[in-house]
């Protein structure tokens, strides 16, 4: 399943509910999801950060948040 901008038109609460339902429905399936909100990526097993068409980092959410990463920088900027 490939989803791009699938949640952009919804409010935060609806985004989380839809994300949860889709992940439950497609459990044990591969989902490629282009996220506009980096904070939603913690729901996925693997995170791939792409910048200017190139993979700049990849790993679990926990790992990327434990090191100085592009994802961590994006989330910190979003909170400011």
């Amino acid at each position: 399943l490939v989803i791009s901008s699938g949640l952009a038109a919804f409010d935060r609460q609806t985004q989380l509910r839809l994300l949860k339902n889709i992940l439950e429905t497609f459990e044990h399936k591969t989902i490629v999801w282009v996220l506009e909100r980096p904070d939603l990526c913690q729901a996925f097993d693997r995170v791939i950060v792409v910048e200017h068409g190139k993979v700049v980092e990849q790993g679990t959410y926990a790992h990327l948040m434990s090191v100085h990463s592009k994802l961590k920088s994006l989330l910190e900027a979003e909170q400011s």
Side-chain angles (χ1 to χ4, degrees):
L1 177 64
V2 177
I3 302 172
S4 179
S5 303
L7 300 175
F10 300 101
D11 62 76
R12 173 90 171 134
Q13 184 176 354
T14 303
Q15 287 178 341
L16 293 172
R17 191 175 71 248
L18 288 170
L19 177 63
K20 180 179 180 274
N21 289 339
I22 290 170
L23 291 177
E24 286 174 358
T25 301
F26 292 95
E27 187 176 13
H28 305 295
K29 304 287 187 222
T30 299
I31 299 173
V32 175
W33 201 317
V34 178
L35 295 171
E36 304 80 17
R37 297 186 54 147
D39 62 314
L40 295 175
C41 71
Q42 59 189 310
F44 295 88
D45 297 328
R46 185 163 189 77
V47 178
I48 300 171
V49 179
V50 177
E51 187 173 56
H52 304 293
K54 297 186 185 236
V55 174
V56 293
E57 62 192 19
Q58 57 184 311
T60 64
Y61 176 83
H63 170 73
L64 293 175
M65 293 305 291
S66 71
V67 297
H68 180 71
S69 66
K70 183 71 176 174
L71 175 63
K72 188 173 182 178
S73 297
L74 287 169
L75 287 170
E76 287 171 351
E78 191 176 79
Q79 293 174 356
S80 313

